[in-house]
């Protein structure tokens, strides 16, 4: 069974009954139907998204129902609950579809606002054909479904005239921090994360596999880096496990210690070697003066920085993914005379599998606040023919529970041409810029020398690789949206909390 998923934005005005002036209103919605959308039938879908009313509401947790029945009932009805100035309001309205005015009737949505059963305002929303039609049509997806998206009892209540109350509920969906995780942004099940953590190596020579974790202690601002690696040499010699641990304090020098190399023991659930383990729920070990034992709690869904198929089928030189885009860490990490006691430290664990490092690369993991995450990998291939090409950029921005660009390939090969996403390598600063049809982004990363750790190691082919890592880097991110001209949509400044790396062979 396949469902239908699409996104829609609408702009307009609303007038509250207690006010004389109109306010601007904007809806950014995602609809998920249980079956294929058929215009001649009535299709019901779950609505999620964001409602913004100038000066009084900006709720990314809006939730409701959509009825699409342009022929059978000649209407498209929206019922959406959201928070405005601490009050729970409901937007109820429908597009009255008619053959006399097909464009207007399909793009204009008159609506009424209710608080409980009491009317509190009314307004009109319009679908912007000029800027919204192309992304609306290109955004339709028909994913496979295992069950009903709406759930049992999904229906619209029968009303006399305009609705004066609603029979649906608006549950919280993220589990811990109170923020709606957004469409599709559920916390992964343990068996899913276990599958992502399980070793991928199949015994072939010339492969490397990495489990790494980065986080920031919210109390001291100290960055932490745990790197676990399996290397299967290209000459067919025995595989070995090794890695390192590093801390990046706000004050003082960066400290690190290595562990291994030791023979690879082929664990079933993650990494194990030289008194160090990394599993879906726990990270523990000791190396030099370092001792740590941390528990990991996922706070977000899995994120595939590279195309999802590249992780399942290792056709590319390498692929990277995060079993959970966000995770919280509790426990202790001690080194020398210092002890970090972590309580809800936010970070992420990631996985890499491939033939080795790129010729040159940069990486960024940025916690943007409110559950938003930015992940970037930009790389130049080691293969002779590809080494002369500009860096391929894989950029994934998780914002308000949605991922931009929608497909990982878009940032790497562009839309309507190669090169819409570009990376400029260098230290201490490097940048990534890119755009799609209606959005563009600029990311500036600064890795101060005193907060950057340089490490050397060997790839499976024996070549020397050097990474320059900072778990306390600075970053500035600016996201813009096309509204007749480029206008700021969001911006973030990270002062010592960005996780970044630049490397080469």
């Amino acid at each position: 069974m396949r469902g239908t998923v699409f996104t829609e934005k609408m702009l307009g005005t609303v007038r509250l009954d207690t006010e004389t002036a109109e306010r601007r209103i904007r809806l950014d919605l995602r609809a998920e139907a249980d079956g294929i959308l058929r215009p001649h039938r009535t299709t019901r879908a779950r609505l999620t998204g964001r409602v913004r009313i100038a000066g009084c509401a900006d709720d990314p947790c809006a939730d409701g129902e959509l009825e699409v029945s342009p022929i059978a009932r000649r209407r498209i009805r929206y019922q959406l609950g959201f928070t405005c100035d601490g009050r729970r309001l409901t937007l109820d309205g429908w597009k009255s579809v008619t053959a006399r005015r097909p464009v207007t009737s399909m793009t204009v949505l008159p609506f009424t606002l209710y608080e409980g059963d009491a009317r509190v305002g009314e307004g009109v929303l319009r679908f912007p054909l000029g800027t919204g039609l192309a992304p609306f049509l290109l955004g339709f997806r028909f994913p496979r479904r295992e069950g009903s998206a709406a759930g049992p009892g999904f229906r619209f209540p029968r009303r006399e005239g305009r609705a004066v109350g609603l029979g649906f509920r608006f549950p919280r969906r993220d589990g811990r921090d109170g923020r709606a995780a957004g469409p599709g942004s559920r916390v992964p099940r343990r068996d899913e994360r276990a599958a992502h953590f399980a070793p991928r190596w199949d015994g072939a020579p010339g492969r490397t596999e990495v489990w790494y974790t980065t986080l920031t202690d919210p109390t001291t601002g100290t960055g932490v880096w745990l790197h676990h690696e399996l290397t299967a040499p290209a000459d067919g010699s025995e595989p070995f496990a090794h890695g390192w641990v590093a801390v990046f304090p706000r004050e003082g020098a960066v400290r690190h210690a290595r562990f291994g190399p030791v023979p690879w023991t082929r664990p079933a659930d993650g990494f194990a070697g030289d008194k160090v383990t990394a599993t879906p729920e726990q990270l523990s070990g000791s190396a030099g003066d370092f001792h740590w034992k941390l528990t990991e709690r996922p706070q977000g869904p899995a994120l595939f920085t590279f195309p999802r198929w590249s992780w399942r089928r290792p056709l590319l030189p390498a692929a990277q993914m995060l079993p959970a885009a966000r995770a919280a860490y509790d426990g202790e990490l001690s080194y020398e005379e210092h002890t970090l006691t972590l309580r809800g430290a936010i970070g992420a664990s990631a996985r890499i599998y491939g033939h080795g490092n790129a010729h040159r690369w940069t990486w960024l993991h940025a916690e943007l606040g409110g559950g938003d995450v930015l992940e970037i990998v930009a790389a130049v291939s080691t293969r002779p023919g590809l080494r002369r090409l500009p860096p391929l950029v894989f950029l994934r921005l998780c914002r308000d529970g949605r991922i931009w660009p929608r497909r990982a390939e878009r940032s790497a090969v562009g839309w309507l041409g190669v090169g819409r996403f570009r990376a400029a390598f260098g230290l201490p600063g490097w940048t990534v810029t890119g755009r799609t049809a209606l959005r563009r982004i600029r990311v500036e990363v600064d890795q101060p020398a005193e907060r950057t750790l340089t490490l050397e190691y060997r790839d499976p082919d024996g070549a020397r690789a050097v990474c320059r890592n900072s778990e306390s880097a600075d970053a500035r991110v600016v996201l813009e949206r096309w509204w007749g001209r480029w206008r700021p949509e969001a911006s973030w400044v990270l002062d010592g909390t960005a996780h970044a790396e630049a490397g080469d062979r």
Side-chain angles (χ1 to χ4, degrees), residues 82-133:
F82 65 97
T83 301
C84 177
D85 280 341
R87 299 184 298 167
R88 191 65 180 176
L89 302 185
T90 299
L91 181 153
D92 181 53
W94 57 79
K95 302 172 182 176
S96 299
V97 181
T98 172
R100 293 181 179 180
R101 297 179 299 158
V103 176
T104 301
S105 63
M106 291 285 287
T107 58
V108 178
L109 173 67
F111 65 87
T112 304
L113 292 181
Y114 295 91
E115 183 177 13
D117 292 339
R119 168 193 153 126
V120 295
E122 65 179 5
V124 177
L125 285 156
R126 291 177 173 83
F127 177 81
L129 285 171
T131 60
L133 183 59

Side-chain angles (χ1 to χ4, degrees), residues 276-362:
V276 176
T277 61
T279 64
E281 295 180 344
Q282 185 167 301
L283 305 162
S284 62
S286 61
D289 293 331
F290 284 80
H291 305 274
W292 66 94
K293 186 173 183 180
L294 309 177
T295 58
E296 181 181 75
R297 293 181 282 109
Q299 303 289 295
L303 177 65
F304 291 83
T305 316
F306 286 54
R308 187 183 296 262
W309 58 260
S310 69
W311 184 254
R312 295 174 177 171
R313 301 176 181 86
L315 302 177
L316 299 180
Q320 186 250 25
M321 62 84 64
L322 292 80
R326 298 178 72 245
Y329 297 87
D330 303 312
E332 286 191 353
L333 184 150
S334 61
Y335 64 101
E336 299 174 351
E337 70 279 7
H338 306 285
T339 299
L340 288 177
T341 301
L342 303 176
R343 294 290 182 268
I346 296 299
S349 288
R351 300 275 281 109
I352 300 173
Y353 182 67
H355 295 268
N357 288 285
H359 181 61
R360 290 184 297 157
W361 73 90
T362 56

Side-chain angles (χ1 to χ4, degrees), residues 371-390:
D372 298 340
V373 173
L374 174 63
E375 187 83 10
I376 297 175
V377 175
V380 176
S381 175
T382 58
R383 296 180 178 177
L386 302 177
R387 193 178 301 174
R388 298 179 180 273
L389 298 178

